[in-house]
Structures are given as structure tokens and as C-alpha cells.
Amino acid sequence: MDEIGLNASVVGRLQDLVLDSEDVSGFLEDLAVFTASVFAARGQDVLCGVTLSRRRRSMTVAGSSREARLIDEVQQAYGDGPCLEAMRTGKSVLVSDTSADSRWPEYCATIAERGHLAVLCVPLGLEEGATAAINLFAPQRDAFDEASVHSCEQFANQAEKALRLAVRIGATQQRAEDLEQAMRSRTAIDLATGVIMGQNRCSQEEAFRILSKASNGRNQKLRDVAESLLRSLTNETPVLHFEP
């Protein structure tokens, strides 16, 4: 297999995946499909899964097919396996024969029964607080030789750059969404407080206390109580009157 990680067309396609994906999950799915197609074009029939772990977020699993996602999800269920080992150590993990490997016997036996006899997991170096790995599954024993491992590591060097960018963009989008959500909450609470002030002829502080008491009594978020009050008056959910 040639050095696919250094191929200009591969690098360009990885950049396109970042630009074309709507979010990080979409990018991971596209990356898994593209990775499998790159290896298939070079005569190696594989399924590809991509696993991403970010701080304070659940682990994200993507795959080139439903089966590829399932294999990675099985590993999450067992709590350990070659992918998690690669992410933990930052080193590639090769399982040449899942039917005979003793490191993760339950996981390996499960995927061997499903016809996946060789596994190669290559970590992606991300920024602090995030780890990821590309996971290749083949139906033949000893499917990945030394050249295959090296080639996949070269590919991963390029893929990790694209994934870093996708994660950064995703984090920026999340911060913007969180800010907008916070501003919408503030708008609803301020409007509801004003309504209570008018109804009860009280101060803003007293109106907020009344709203908070209703929130606690109903075991609902303050914003939800505020929006419920406003809907009872207007039958509409309040919107921002200015751009965040």
C-alpha cells in the first residue's frame, strides 16, 4: 500500500469534509466512510469506525456502515478493547486474529463471531481533553501487515488535523448556541418579571422572588415557568429583540 496519508488528493478531500459537514458527528461519519473507501481503493476490504471522546461529553461513535458502528458500540459496552487502548496510550493497537487474542477475550470473541478477524486501531492526536481513534476491521486474519499499519498511521496524521479543526468549529458553534440559549432565557425571565410587577404592583426584586417560588414549587426551570406565563398571555414563545 502506498503512502496514502501524504497523497495531496487525500489531504484535499479531508479538508472538504470539514467544510461540508454540519457538525462534528457528521464529520466523523464522513471520515469513517472516506477512510474505508481509501483503503478499499488500494485493495483492502475493511470497515471503519471512528471514536471521539471529549471532556464533559459522551463518547461519539461513527462508522462507515451500521455494522462498523455496532462493533465500536460493543467495545463501549465491554468497557475496554483495542480502540480504547489506543486512545488511552496514544499508540496503535493491532489484533491480528480476534479468534485467538487473549487481551480482550470477550470483545474479540464477539466480533470474531460476526466475521471480523483482524483489527487495527490508530489514535488521533487532538488537543487537551479530547482523544480519538480510527478503527479498521477486516474479515481475514493477519490482514494488516507492517506496511498497512504504517500507511494507516500516515493517513491518521492528516486526518487528525482535519478532526482538530472540526472539533474547534464544533466548540465555537456550541458556545454560540449556549450564549443564544442563555440570552433567550434572560429575555423570557425579564419579560415575565415585568408582567408580575404589573399584575402585583410590586418591585422587580419581589416579582423575581415570586417567579422563583413558582419555579421551585413546580420543580421546573425558571425559564420554563417564565415562558409558560408569557404563553398564557400571548400564546407565543418570546423571541429576542436583538441579535446575540
Side-chain angles (χ1 to χ4, degrees):
M1 189 179 297
D2 57 356
E3 297 295 338
I4 58 175
L6 302 179
N7 187 305
S9 65
V10 169
V11 175
R13 181 56 183 148
L14 288 169
Q15 294 172 346
D16 289 342
L17 293 183
V18 177
L19 297 176
D20 295 342
S21 301
E22 294 184 359
D23 52 30
V24 175
S25 295
F27 172 78
L28 294 178
E29 290 288 345
D30 292 340
L31 176 60
V33 172
F34 176 58
T35 303
S37 70
V38 167
F39 280 83
R42 286 156 176 79
Q44 200 155 13
D45 180 25
V46 299
L47 298 182
C48 178
V50 181
T51 305
L52 170 66
S53 175
R54 289 174 286 176
R55 184 180 300 166
R56 294 189 296 274
R57 291 176 179 269
S58 58
M59 197 166 289
T60 305
V61 175
S64 58
S65 66
R66 184 175 181 277
E67 177 69 11
R69 287 191 297 275
L70 177 62
I71 302 169
D72 270 355
E73 288 168 357
V74 166
Q75 184 167 182
Q76 310 307 320
Y78 280 119
D80 201 6
C83 169
L84 299 180
E85 177 73 8
M87 293 170 66
R88 186 165 51 244
T89 64
K91 298 179 180 180
S92 298
V93 176
L94 175 63
V95 181
S96 297
D97 184 357
T98 56
S99 66
D101 195 277
S102 60
R103 289 171 291 180
W104 307 281
E106 292 182 328
Y107 169 70
C108 287
T110 298
I111 67 171
E113 290 176 1
R114 300 186 68 87
H116 310 293
L117 298 180
V119 180
L120 173 60
C121 302
V122 178
L124 301 178
L126 302 180
E127 295 170 333
E128 184 177 355
T131 57
I134 289 176
N135 312 303
L136 302 179
F137 308 95
Q140 305 91 11
R141 295 177 178 85
D142 301 311
F144 304 109
D145 57 16
E146 185 176 343
S148 297
V149 174
H150 180 67
S151 186
C152 188
E153 289 175 341
Q154 291 292 313
F155 177 81
N157 286 338
Q158 297 301 327
E160 69 185 25
K161 296 175 184 177
L163 181 53
R164 284 180 187 174
L165 180 57
V167 170
R168 287 179 186 174
I169 293 173
T172 301
Q173 291 173 335
Q174 186 62 52
R175 284 194 293 270
E177 291 171 3
D178 290 346
L179 176 60
E180 182 177 358
Q181 186 79 357
M183 295 182 72
R184 288 185 182 279
S185 296
R186 178 63 182 270
T187 298
I189 292 168
D190 285 349
L191 290 173
T193 300
V195 169
I196 294 172
M197 290 172 64
Q199 290 176 338
N200 295 273
R201 299 183 181 278
C202 62
S203 67
Q204 183 179 19
E205 182 179 352
E206 177 63 16
F208 185 79
R209 187 189 68 78
I210 292 172
L211 189 64
S212 298
K213 184 177 180 180
S215 172
N216 292 331
R218 300 178 187 180
N219 195 28
Q220 290 181 305
K221 292 181 180 179
L222 195 61
R223 173 189 170 178
D224 293 340
V225 173
E227 290 186 348
S228 177
L229 170 61
L230 295 172
R231 278 195 298 270
S232 71
L233 299 174
T234 65
N235 293 321
E236 295 180 357
T237 299
V239 296
L240 290 174
H241 299 289
F242 54 91
E243 292 296 327

